[in-house]
Amino acid sequence: MIIQELNNAKIAHMRWVKRADHLISGLPVDKEFIPLESTTCGFGKWLYGEVGQKLRLEEEFKSIIEQIEFHHDNLHDVYGEIYKIFFVMPEQRSLLHKIMTFNSKKVSDKEKAKAKDYFHSLQKSSTELIALLEKLEIRVKESDDINRMPKTTMMRRGA
């Protein structure tokens, strides 16, 4: 169960990065599919959800989870900068802008180049995050305690 959910989270993360890449490349992307908040994307739901919290409580996984969280937060910070280039921030939109637009704005070539630079940084953090996920997966597979632990026992541990 944990390995499957970990793999699903990894896939959700890779899709999120791909959508950000589509945005930078000028392909149509529904901004709703690239959440700004680190807790609302598919990966964030895993990280801050039941399985991520269970792993965080286990001493052997805690450090890796914290590193994953650091890179995940960084990804969203960098994406926030990309978002500002292509979209009007929600709190800055007037009622007329909400009615007349889809939240996007005209982007100059200079801004597009800046977005590509941000995206390279995002890719670097993504690569590091994926490497940490693979390390976590290996440790989870090697851990007899987490693999043998019944779900109810893990829940009693505070997850």
Side-chain angles (χ1 to χ4, degrees), residues 3-87:
I3 296 298
Q4 182 60 47
E5 290 197 31
L6 178 60
N7 285 326
N8 290 343
K10 192 185 311 183
I11 290 167
H13 166 71
M14 290 186 290
R15 286 181 180 152
W16 183 86
V17 172
K18 183 54 103 178
R19 288 183 189 111
D21 183 32
H22 288 172
L23 176 65
I24 303 284
S25 302
L27 297 172
V29 175
D30 185 342
K31 66 173 181 56
E32 301 302 321
F33 289 116
I34 315 175
L36 285 171
E37 297 298 321
S38 62
T39 57
T40 58
C41 69
F43 184 82
K45 288 177 182 175
W46 171 82
L47 183 60
Y48 299 107
E50 184 180 345
V51 174
Q53 292 304 318
K54 286 177 190 173
L55 293 173
R56 186 183 310 272
L57 293 173
E58 297 294 324
E59 197 58 42
E60 65 184 305
F61 307 121
K62 186 176 182 178
S63 174
I64 296 174
I65 292 291
E66 288 172 354
Q67 292 174 63
I68 288 170
E69 184 175 29
F70 171 81
H71 288 291
H72 182 240
D73 288 344
N74 184 58
L75 285 162
H76 280 273
D77 290 344
V78 172
Y79 178 71
E81 296 303 316
I82 294 170
Y83 184 96
K84 289 176 195 175
I85 291 171
F86 289 93
F87 300 107

